Amino acid sequence: MKKLFEIKNLNMHYPVVDGLLGNLKGYVYALNNVDLDIYENEILGLVGESGSGKSTLGNCILKLLNPTSGEVIFENENILSKKKKELKDFRKKAQLIFQNPYMSLNPRMKIYDILKEPFIINGIKDKKIIEDKIKKIINLICMQEEVLNRYPHEFSGGQRQRIAIARAIILNPQFIVADEPVSALDVSIQAQIINLLIDLKEHLNLTMLFISHDLSVIKFISDRIAVMYLGEIVEIADKNELFNNHKHPYTEALLNAVPVISEDKGKKIILSGDLPSPQNPPKGCKFHTRCPYVMDKCKCNQPELKEISENHKVRCFLAQEIL
Ligand code: SF4
């Protein structure tokens, strides 16, 4: 498999300042030494609790945020070292779908103008090319051309998300970050949008980072899954391996939180307590304050993300010990 992105040692530490004088109080450690490869034409699911750093990672990969340090290699270049003007080509190739379709579409613009905007931004003025592409894309998202003359408020949440997706793919990107794209929608609509994203991925040869806090959604759409906790990847594997042979206690706890009809009354890890503050993360293994298997060494030593079998990496002493 060919890598589309190589993310190396990515850190995002937001300074926290105090009062009027702006004295530095500390940092919010949103991303810590994230290493991640994203392969061409895969859907990589990124899962974790709210506040675990998933959206920050998505935004840093697209350079919508400037990370504190690290590299994001795309087509043999570190896009983090590029200036704004040099990013124009990259912006066409890598797009974001937002969580909230109610906020992401300009309410004063007709759908046609919303879909035309990316062409204007990129200096494409040929009316025929623009019109043909808009009509094609509207058909691709299973809507009728008559919607082009209407405003966003005339549509349901699911329809708005279809339009937001159309805008994201209209310039034929290679890569999409879909940041919780169904979590603001009714459950009955979620499956339609997920199926649309799967179809578009196949049809347009897209690569996607699909961010969600919901493992059942992630399971449905992803080829591989990365689990995040307090700004770190704690486990990453192919979907079936992660669901059937997960090794990190946090992954286990997340899976136990997914409702299933089962007779299994065996011991289960239930996630207790809140996510610790990313401003003051625990020393050692960041999960040790909530881990039922915690050992003394977990409290002072930080486990590395290590490969325990082919394409399966885990950040846990216990999983690495029983190899
Ligand atoms: Fe639990 Fe220790 Fe593994 Fe961390 S390293 S997940 S505390 S067993």
mmCIF file of all heavy atoms in Angstrom, residues 41-46 97 165 176 178 181-182 190-202 208-212 214-225 239 243:
data_model
loop_
_atom_site.group_PDB
_atom_site.id
_atom_site.type_symbol
_atom_site.label_atom_id
_atom_site.label_comp_id
_atom_site.label_asym_id
_atom_site.label_seq_id
_atom_site.Cartn_x
_atom_site.Cartn_y
_atom_site.Cartn_z
ATOM 1 N N ASN A 41 -6.323 5.602 -0.732
ATOM 2 C CA ASN A 41 -7.607 4.937 -0.968
ATOM 3 C C ASN A 41 -8.152 4.132 0.231
ATOM 4 O O ASN A 41 -8.961 3.243 0.058
ATOM 5 C CB ASN A 41 -7.507 4.046 -2.216
ATOM 6 C CG ASN A 41 -8.862 3.859 -2.858
ATOM 7 O OD1 ASN A 41 -9.229 2.765 -3.258
ATOM 8 N ND2 ASN A 41 -9.648 4.894 -2.937
ATOM 9 N N GLU A 42 -7.685 4.469 1.420
ATOM 10 C CA GLU A 42 -8.272 3.833 2.608
ATOM 11 C C GLU A 42 -9.156 4.837 3.346
ATOM 12 O O GLU A 42 -9.017 6.050 3.184
ATOM 13 C CB GLU A 42 -7.186 3.323 3.566
ATOM 14 C CG GLU A 42 -6.473 4.410 4.357
ATOM 15 C CD GLU A 42 -5.650 3.861 5.528
ATOM 16 O OE1 GLU A 42 -5.804 2.699 5.908
ATOM 17 O OE2 GLU A 42 -4.826 4.628 6.072
ATOM 18 N N ILE A 43 -10.071 4.287 4.161
ATOM 19 C CA ILE A 43 -10.751 5.124 5.150
ATOM 20 C C ILE A 43 -10.169 4.754 6.501
ATOM 21 O O ILE A 43 -10.318 3.615 6.967
ATOM 22 C CB ILE A 43 -12.284 4.920 5.138
ATOM 23 C CG1 ILE A 43 -12.855 5.328 3.771
ATOM 24 C CG2 ILE A 43 -12.929 5.748 6.244
ATOM 25 C CD1 ILE A 43 -14.380 5.246 3.671
ATOM 26 N N LEU A 44 -9.445 5.708 7.082
ATOM 27 C CA LEU A 44 -8.863 5.501 8.404
ATOM 28 C C LEU A 44 -9.802 6.131 9.422
ATOM 29 O O LEU A 44 -10.052 7.341 9.386
ATOM 30 C CB LEU A 44 -7.474 6.147 8.482
ATOM 31 C CG LEU A 44 -6.802 6.118 9.858
ATOM 32 C CD1 LEU A 44 -6.532 4.689 10.323
ATOM 33 C CD2 LEU A 44 -5.502 6.917 9.849
ATOM 34 N N GLY A 45 -10.357 5.320 10.305
ATOM 35 C CA GLY A 45 -11.231 5.829 11.361
ATOM 36 C C GLY A 45 -10.381 6.288 12.535
ATOM 37 O O GLY A 45 -9.419 5.629 12.915
ATOM 38 N N LEU A 46 -10.750 7.440 13.101
ATOM 39 C CA LEU A 46 -10.041 7.964 14.271
ATOM 40 C C LEU A 46 -11.071 8.125 15.374
ATOM 41 O O LEU A 46 -12.022 8.907 15.245
ATOM 42 C CB LEU A 46 -9.400 9.315 13.914
ATOM 43 C CG LEU A 46 -8.526 9.981 14.964
ATOM 44 C CD1 LEU A 46 -7.329 9.102 15.328
ATOM 45 C CD2 LEU A 46 -8.040 11.343 14.473
ATOM 46 N N ILE A 97 -14.709 18.091 5.768
ATOM 47 C CA ILE A 97 -16.165 18.115 5.942
ATOM 48 C C ILE A 97 -16.418 18.335 7.433
ATOM 49 O O ILE A 97 -15.931 17.579 8.272
ATOM 50 C CB ILE A 97 -16.819 16.782 5.499
ATOM 51 C CG1 ILE A 97 -16.572 16.546 4.011
ATOM 52 C CG2 ILE A 97 -18.315 16.805 5.780
ATOM 53 C CD1 ILE A 97 -16.927 15.145 3.555
ATOM 54 N N ILE A 165 -20.838 18.110 1.614
ATOM 55 C CA ILE A 165 -19.956 17.092 1.033
ATOM 56 C C ILE A 165 -19.681 17.428 -0.435
ATOM 57 O O ILE A 165 -18.539 17.356 -0.903
ATOM 58 C CB ILE A 165 -20.587 15.681 1.181
ATOM 59 C CG1 ILE A 165 -20.578 15.264 2.649
ATOM 60 C CG2 ILE A 165 -19.845 14.651 0.326
ATOM 61 C CD1 ILE A 165 -21.431 14.040 2.967
ATOM 62 N N ILE A 176 -9.859 13.607 2.168
ATOM 63 C CA ILE A 176 -10.909 14.297 2.924
ATOM 64 C C ILE A 176 -10.726 13.993 4.413
ATOM 65 O O ILE A 176 -10.536 12.841 4.784
ATOM 66 C CB ILE A 176 -12.313 13.768 2.521
ATOM 67 C CG1 ILE A 176 -12.636 14.086 1.068
ATOM 68 C CG2 ILE A 176 -13.383 14.290 3.454
ATOM 69 C CD1 ILE A 176 -13.223 15.423 0.803
ATOM 70 N N ALA A 178 -13.151 13.972 7.389
ATOM 71 C CA ALA A 178 -14.568 14.069 7.738
ATOM 72 C C ALA A 178 -14.645 14.093 9.263
ATOM 73 O O ALA A 178 -14.420 13.072 9.915
ATOM 74 C CB ALA A 178 -15.338 12.890 7.161
ATOM 75 N N PRO A 181 -18.941 13.802 10.798
ATOM 76 C CA PRO A 181 -19.899 14.335 9.824
ATOM 77 C C PRO A 181 -21.335 13.900 10.033
ATOM 78 O O PRO A 181 -22.229 14.450 9.395
ATOM 79 C CB PRO A 181 -19.363 13.783 8.489
ATOM 80 C CG PRO A 181 -18.646 12.539 8.861
ATOM 81 C CD PRO A 181 -18.047 12.790 10.218
ATOM 82 N N VAL A 182 -21.572 12.909 10.907
ATOM 83 C CA VAL A 182 -22.961 12.477 11.099
ATOM 84 C C VAL A 182 -23.455 12.698 12.529
ATOM 85 O O VAL A 182 -24.611 12.434 12.826
ATOM 86 C CB VAL A 182 -23.152 10.985 10.708
ATOM 87 C CG1 VAL A 182 -22.885 10.782 9.238
ATOM 88 C CG2 VAL A 182 -22.311 10.058 11.554
ATOM 89 N N GLN A 190 -28.132 9.108 9.543
ATOM 90 C CA GLN A 190 -26.680 8.857 9.613
ATOM 91 C C GLN A 190 -26.227 7.809 8.600
ATOM 92 O O GLN A 190 -25.229 8.002 7.904
ATOM 93 C CB GLN A 190 -26.295 8.413 11.027
ATOM 94 C CG GLN A 190 -26.383 9.540 12.036
ATOM 95 C CD GLN A 190 -25.877 9.124 13.408
ATOM 96 O OE1 GLN A 190 -25.483 7.981 13.614
ATOM 97 N NE2 GLN A 190 -25.904 10.047 14.344
ATOM 98 N N ALA A 191 -26.991 6.689 8.511
ATOM 99 C CA ALA A 191 -26.563 5.598 7.622
ATOM 100 C C ALA A 191 -26.545 6.055 6.166
ATOM 101 O O ALA A 191 -25.668 5.659 5.398
ATOM 102 C CB ALA A 191 -27.490 4.398 7.790
ATOM 103 N N GLN A 192 -27.492 6.924 5.790
ATOM 104 C CA GLN A 192 -27.530 7.421 4.400
ATOM 105 C C GLN A 192 -26.268 8.207 4.070
ATOM 106 O O GLN A 192 -25.685 8.060 2.997
ATOM 107 C CB GLN A 192 -28.738 8.336 4.197
ATOM 108 C CG GLN A 192 -30.065 7.637 4.288
ATOM 109 C CD GLN A 192 -31.213 8.636 4.210
ATOM 110 O OE1 GLN A 192 -31.051 9.759 3.767
ATOM 111 N NE2 GLN A 192 -32.382 8.211 4.649
ATOM 112 N N ILE A 193 -25.849 9.062 5.013
ATOM 113 C CA ILE A 193 -24.660 9.898 4.766
ATOM 114 C C ILE A 193 -23.398 9.019 4.754
ATOM 115 O O ILE A 193 -22.503 9.199 3.923
ATOM 116 C CB ILE A 193 -24.544 11.020 5.834
ATOM 117 C CG1 ILE A 193 -25.759 11.956 5.727
ATOM 118 C CG2 ILE A 193 -23.251 11.806 5.686
ATOM 119 C CD1 ILE A 193 -25.878 12.731 4.429
ATOM 120 N N ILE A 194 -23.342 8.049 5.654
ATOM 121 C CA ILE A 194 -22.173 7.159 5.679
ATOM 122 C C ILE A 194 -22.094 6.361 4.373
ATOM 123 O O ILE A 194 -21.017 6.231 3.771
ATOM 124 C CB ILE A 194 -22.228 6.223 6.904
ATOM 125 C CG1 ILE A 194 -21.995 7.057 8.165
ATOM 126 C CG2 ILE A 194 -21.175 5.131 6.819
ATOM 127 C CD1 ILE A 194 -22.278 6.320 9.440
ATOM 128 N N ASN A 195 -23.248 5.846 3.907
ATOM 129 C CA ASN A 195 -23.246 5.105 2.637
ATOM 130 C C ASN A 195 -22.834 6.001 1.472
ATOM 131 O O ASN A 195 -22.119 5.563 0.563
ATOM 132 C CB ASN A 195 -24.625 4.496 2.377
ATOM 133 C CG ASN A 195 -24.833 3.249 3.219
ATOM 134 O OD1 ASN A 195 -23.893 2.488 3.449
ATOM 135 N ND2 ASN A 195 -26.039 3.047 3.706
ATOM 136 N N LEU A 196 -23.266 7.260 1.522
ATOM 137 C CA LEU A 196 -22.873 8.209 0.470
ATOM 138 C C LEU A 196 -21.347 8.391 0.479
ATOM 139 O O LEU A 196 -20.697 8.364 -0.577
ATOM 140 C CB LEU A 196 -23.576 9.558 0.681
ATOM 141 C CG LEU A 196 -23.147 10.678 -0.260
ATOM 142 C CD1 LEU A 196 -23.597 10.380 -1.691
ATOM 143 C CD2 LEU A 196 -23.711 12.035 0.187
ATOM 144 N N LEU A 197 -20.771 8.545 1.666
ATOM 145 C CA LEU A 197 -19.309 8.732 1.758
ATOM 146 C C LEU A 197 -18.563 7.501 1.238
ATOM 147 O O LEU A 197 -17.552 7.627 0.552
ATOM 148 C CB LEU A 197 -18.905 9.045 3.208
ATOM 149 C CG LEU A 197 -19.284 10.446 3.708
ATOM 150 C CD1 LEU A 197 -19.035 10.564 5.203
ATOM 151 C CD2 LEU A 197 -18.516 11.538 2.963
ATOM 152 N N ILE A 198 -19.080 6.301 1.552
ATOM 153 C CA ILE A 198 -18.445 5.072 1.056
ATOM 154 C C ILE A 198 -18.516 5.024 -0.477
ATOM 155 O O ILE A 198 -17.521 4.724 -1.157
ATOM 156 C CB ILE A 198 -19.096 3.815 1.685
ATOM 157 C CG1 ILE A 198 -18.811 3.774 3.192
ATOM 158 C CG2 ILE A 198 -18.593 2.543 1.017
ATOM 159 C CD1 ILE A 198 -19.588 2.709 3.956
ATOM 160 N N ASP A 199 -19.688 5.363 -1.039
ATOM 161 C CA ASP A 199 -19.841 5.367 -2.505
ATOM 162 C C ASP A 199 -18.890 6.369 -3.148
ATOM 163 O O ASP A 199 -18.244 6.074 -4.159
ATOM 164 C CB ASP A 199 -21.283 5.752 -2.900
ATOM 165 C CG ASP A 199 -22.257 4.627 -2.599
ATOM 166 O OD1 ASP A 199 -21.792 3.517 -2.306
ATOM 167 O OD2 ASP A 199 -23.475 4.882 -2.646
ATOM 168 N N LEU A 200 -18.808 7.565 -2.563
ATOM 169 C CA LEU A 200 -17.952 8.613 -3.140
ATOM 170 C C LEU A 200 -16.480 8.212 -3.067
ATOM 171 O O LEU A 200 -15.706 8.460 -3.988
ATOM 172 C CB LEU A 200 -18.162 9.941 -2.402
ATOM 173 C CG LEU A 200 -19.527 10.599 -2.621
ATOM 174 C CD1 LEU A 200 -19.676 11.818 -1.720
ATOM 175 C CD2 LEU A 200 -19.712 10.995 -4.076
ATOM 176 N N LYS A 201 -16.127 7.571 -1.970
ATOM 177 C CA LYS A 201 -14.729 7.109 -1.819
ATOM 178 C C LYS A 201 -14.374 6.149 -2.958
ATOM 179 O O LYS A 201 -13.313 6.267 -3.571
ATOM 180 C CB LYS A 201 -14.579 6.435 -0.453
ATOM 181 C CG LYS A 201 -13.206 5.890 -0.183
ATOM 182 C CD LYS A 201 -13.276 4.410 0.082
ATOM 183 C CE LYS A 201 -11.933 3.777 0.133
ATOM 184 N NZ LYS A 201 -11.976 2.333 0.210
ATOM 185 N N GLU A 202 -15.284 5.219 -3.259
ATOM 186 C CA GLU A 202 -15.027 4.258 -4.341
ATOM 187 C C GLU A 202 -15.030 4.943 -5.705
ATOM 188 O O GLU A 202 -14.146 4.734 -6.524
ATOM 189 C CB GLU A 202 -16.095 3.148 -4.324
ATOM 190 C CG GLU A 202 -16.013 2.226 -3.132
ATOM 191 C CD GLU A 202 -14.653 1.548 -3.002
ATOM 192 O OE1 GLU A 202 -14.024 1.260 -4.035
ATOM 193 O OE2 GLU A 202 -14.199 1.333 -1.860
ATOM 194 N N MET A 208 -9.616 8.911 3.076
ATOM 195 C CA MET A 208 -10.386 9.664 4.066
ATOM 196 C C MET A 208 -9.907 9.408 5.495
ATOM 197 O O MET A 208 -9.607 8.269 5.858
ATOM 198 C CB MET A 208 -11.862 9.246 3.948
ATOM 199 C CG MET A 208 -12.837 10.255 4.495
ATOM 200 S SD MET A 208 -14.547 9.699 4.311
ATOM 201 C CE MET A 208 -14.733 9.598 2.549
ATOM 202 N N LEU A 209 -9.835 10.478 6.276
ATOM 203 C CA LEU A 209 -9.684 10.339 7.726
ATOM 204 C C LEU A 209 -11.062 10.628 8.304
ATOM 205 O O LEU A 209 -11.562 11.755 8.199
ATOM 206 C CB LEU A 209 -8.649 11.341 8.258
ATOM 207 C CG LEU A 209 -8.435 11.301 9.774
ATOM 208 C CD1 LEU A 209 -7.766 9.994 10.198
ATOM 209 C CD2 LEU A 209 -7.602 12.480 10.258
ATOM 210 N N PHE A 210 -11.693 9.601 8.878
ATOM 211 C CA PHE A 210 -13.061 9.729 9.378
ATOM 212 C C PHE A 210 -13.013 9.783 10.900
ATOM 213 O O PHE A 210 -12.641 8.812 11.561
ATOM 214 C CB PHE A 210 -13.898 8.540 8.901
ATOM 215 C CG PHE A 210 -15.356 8.674 9.224
ATOM 216 C CD1 PHE A 210 -16.248 9.161 8.284
ATOM 217 C CD2 PHE A 210 -15.842 8.325 10.480
ATOM 218 C CE1 PHE A 210 -17.600 9.299 8.576
ATOM 219 C CE2 PHE A 210 -17.185 8.457 10.784
ATOM 220 C CZ PHE A 210 -18.068 8.943 9.830
ATOM 221 N N ILE A 211 -13.369 10.961 11.434
ATOM 222 C CA ILE A 211 -13.262 11.181 12.878
ATOM 223 C C ILE A 211 -14.621 10.983 13.536
ATOM 224 O O ILE A 211 -15.623 11.536 13.072
ATOM 225 C CB ILE A 211 -12.764 12.627 13.148
ATOM 226 C CG1 ILE A 211 -11.360 12.822 12.564
ATOM 227 C CG2 ILE A 211 -12.795 12.955 14.631
ATOM 228 C CD1 ILE A 211 -10.877 14.265 12.586
ATOM 229 N N SER A 212 -14.658 10.197 14.615
ATOM 230 C CA SER A 212 -15.924 10.027 15.336
ATOM 231 C C SER A 212 -15.649 9.563 16.765
ATOM 232 O O SER A 212 -14.627 8.935 17.038
ATOM 233 C CB SER A 212 -16.799 8.988 14.627
ATOM 234 O OG SER A 212 -18.003 8.806 15.324
ATOM 235 N N ASP A 214 -17.931 7.669 18.006
ATOM 236 C CA ASP A 214 -18.878 6.555 18.022
ATOM 237 C C ASP A 214 -18.283 5.343 17.291
ATOM 238 O O ASP A 214 -18.159 5.329 16.071
ATOM 239 C CB ASP A 214 -20.159 7.041 17.317
ATOM 240 C CG ASP A 214 -21.270 6.007 17.382
ATOM 241 O OD1 ASP A 214 -20.970 4.822 17.583
ATOM 242 O OD2 ASP A 214 -22.436 6.401 17.226
ATOM 243 N N LEU A 215 -17.923 4.315 18.071
ATOM 244 C CA LEU A 215 -17.254 3.153 17.471
ATOM 245 C C LEU A 215 -18.150 2.381 16.506
ATOM 246 O O LEU A 215 -17.664 1.758 15.565
ATOM 247 C CB LEU A 215 -16.770 2.211 18.573
ATOM 248 C CG LEU A 215 -15.260 2.209 18.820
ATOM 249 C CD1 LEU A 215 -14.919 1.308 19.978
ATOM 250 C CD2 LEU A 215 -14.452 1.811 17.602
ATOM 251 N N SER A 216 -19.475 2.420 16.720
ATOM 252 C CA SER A 216 -20.330 1.663 15.797
ATOM 253 C C SER A 216 -20.336 2.329 14.417
ATOM 254 O O SER A 216 -20.392 1.644 13.390
ATOM 255 C CB SER A 216 -21.739 1.482 16.346
ATOM 256 O OG SER A 216 -22.232 2.692 16.833
ATOM 257 N N VAL A 217 -20.241 3.658 14.383
ATOM 258 C CA VAL A 217 -20.153 4.382 13.107
ATOM 259 C C VAL A 217 -18.791 4.103 12.460
ATOM 260 O O VAL A 217 -18.681 3.782 11.278
ATOM 261 C CB VAL A 217 -20.344 5.908 13.336
ATOM 262 C CG1 VAL A 217 -20.026 6.693 12.078
ATOM 263 C CG2 VAL A 217 -21.761 6.201 13.794
ATOM 264 N N ILE A 218 -17.743 4.187 13.284
ATOM 265 C CA ILE A 218 -16.380 3.947 12.794
ATOM 266 C C ILE A 218 -16.251 2.534 12.219
ATOM 267 O O ILE A 218 -15.636 2.326 11.172
ATOM 268 C CB ILE A 218 -15.369 4.128 13.972
ATOM 269 C CG1 ILE A 218 -15.206 5.615 14.314
ATOM 270 C CG2 ILE A 218 -14.047 3.458 13.703
ATOM 271 C CD1 ILE A 218 -14.173 6.362 13.532
ATOM 272 N N LYS A 219 -16.869 1.568 12.890
ATOM 273 C CA LYS A 219 -16.777 0.173 12.440
ATOM 274 C C LYS A 219 -17.378 0.004 11.046
ATOM 275 O O LYS A 219 -16.862 -0.710 10.197
ATOM 276 C CB LYS A 219 -17.523 -0.735 13.431
ATOM 277 C CG LYS A 219 -17.414 -2.205 13.087
ATOM 278 C CD LYS A 219 -18.168 -3.051 14.077
ATOM 279 C CE LYS A 219 -17.934 -4.531 13.800
ATOM 280 N NZ LYS A 219 -18.679 -5.389 14.708
ATOM 281 N N PHE A 220 -18.477 0.696 10.822
ATOM 282 C CA PHE A 220 -19.197 0.561 9.566
ATOM 283 C C PHE A 220 -18.389 1.072 8.377
ATOM 284 O O PHE A 220 -18.378 0.481 7.304
ATOM 285 C CB PHE A 220 -20.526 1.326 9.680
ATOM 286 C CG PHE A 220 -21.490 1.010 8.601
ATOM 287 C CD1 PHE A 220 -22.143 -0.212 8.583
ATOM 288 C CD2 PHE A 220 -21.752 1.914 7.587
ATOM 289 C CE1 PHE A 220 -23.046 -0.521 7.579
ATOM 290 C CE2 PHE A 220 -22.645 1.626 6.582
ATOM 291 C CZ PHE A 220 -23.291 0.399 6.574
ATOM 292 N N ILE A 221 -17.668 2.168 8.580
ATOM 293 C CA ILE A 221 -17.077 2.865 7.432
ATOM 294 C C ILE A 221 -15.569 2.596 7.238
ATOM 295 O O ILE A 221 -15.068 2.694 6.121
ATOM 296 C CB ILE A 221 -17.325 4.395 7.548
ATOM 297 C CG1 ILE A 221 -17.056 5.082 6.197
ATOM 298 C CG2 ILE A 221 -16.526 5.054 8.653
ATOM 299 C CD1 ILE A 221 -17.552 6.493 6.090
ATOM 300 N N SER A 222 -14.853 2.207 8.301
ATOM 301 C CA SER A 222 -13.378 2.258 8.223
ATOM 302 C C SER A 222 -12.740 0.987 7.685
ATOM 303 O O SER A 222 -13.272 -0.109 7.836
ATOM 304 C CB SER A 222 -12.797 2.505 9.621
ATOM 305 O OG SER A 222 -13.408 3.618 10.200
ATOM 306 N N ASP A 223 -11.534 1.157 7.092
ATOM 307 C CA ASP A 223 -10.686 0.014 6.744
ATOM 308 C C ASP A 223 -9.732 -0.265 7.897
ATOM 309 O O ASP A 223 -9.501 -1.405 8.268
ATOM 310 C CB ASP A 223 -9.869 0.335 5.483
ATOM 311 C CG ASP A 223 -10.780 0.654 4.314
ATOM 312 O OD1 ASP A 223 -11.631 -0.184 4.006
ATOM 313 O OD2 ASP A 223 -10.647 1.741 3.721
ATOM 314 N N ARG A 224 -9.141 0.813 8.444
ATOM 315 C CA ARG A 224 -8.267 0.703 9.620
ATOM 316 C C ARG A 224 -8.809 1.662 10.670
ATOM 317 O O ARG A 224 -9.509 2.631 10.341
ATOM 318 C CB ARG A 224 -6.831 1.124 9.288
ATOM 319 C CG ARG A 224 -6.012 0.067 8.586
ATOM 320 C CD ARG A 224 -4.525 0.453 8.602
ATOM 321 N NE ARG A 224 -4.286 1.800 8.155
ATOM 322 C CZ ARG A 224 -3.340 2.595 8.658
ATOM 323 N NH1 ARG A 224 -2.561 2.181 9.642
ATOM 324 N NH2 ARG A 224 -3.165 3.819 8.178
ATOM 325 N N ILE A 225 -8.431 1.410 11.930
ATOM 326 C CA ILE A 225 -8.917 2.270 13.019
ATOM 327 C C ILE A 225 -7.759 2.645 13.935
ATOM 328 O O ILE A 225 -6.960 1.794 14.337
ATOM 329 C CB ILE A 225 -10.021 1.552 13.836
ATOM 330 C CG1 ILE A 225 -11.232 1.249 12.929
ATOM 331 C CG2 ILE A 225 -10.469 2.412 15.022
ATOM 332 C CD1 ILE A 225 -12.305 0.407 13.578
ATOM 333 N N LYS A 239 -9.495 -2.928 10.794
ATOM 334 C CA LYS A 239 -10.783 -2.913 11.510
ATOM 335 C C LYS A 239 -11.079 -4.239 12.217
ATOM 336 O O LYS A 239 -11.368 -4.259 13.413
ATOM 337 C CB LYS A 239 -11.896 -2.573 10.523
ATOM 338 C CG LYS A 239 -13.279 -2.706 11.103
ATOM 339 C CD LYS A 239 -14.346 -2.172 10.204
ATOM 340 C CE LYS A 239 -14.522 -2.929 8.931
ATOM 341 N NZ LYS A 239 -15.592 -2.345 8.097
ATOM 342 N N PHE A 243 -11.382 -4.932 16.304
ATOM 343 C CA PHE A 243 -12.612 -5.356 16.975
ATOM 344 C C PHE A 243 -12.478 -6.739 17.600
ATOM 345 O O PHE A 243 -13.043 -6.991 18.664
ATOM 346 C CB PHE A 243 -13.796 -5.307 15.995
ATOM 347 C CG PHE A 243 -14.441 -3.952 15.982
ATOM 348 C CD1 PHE A 243 -13.909 -2.924 15.235
ATOM 349 C CD2 PHE A 243 -15.562 -3.680 16.764
ATOM 350 C CE1 PHE A 243 -14.478 -1.658 15.249
ATOM 351 C CE2 PHE A 243 -16.132 -2.413 16.794
ATOM 352 C CZ PHE A 243 -15.595 -1.408 16.025
#
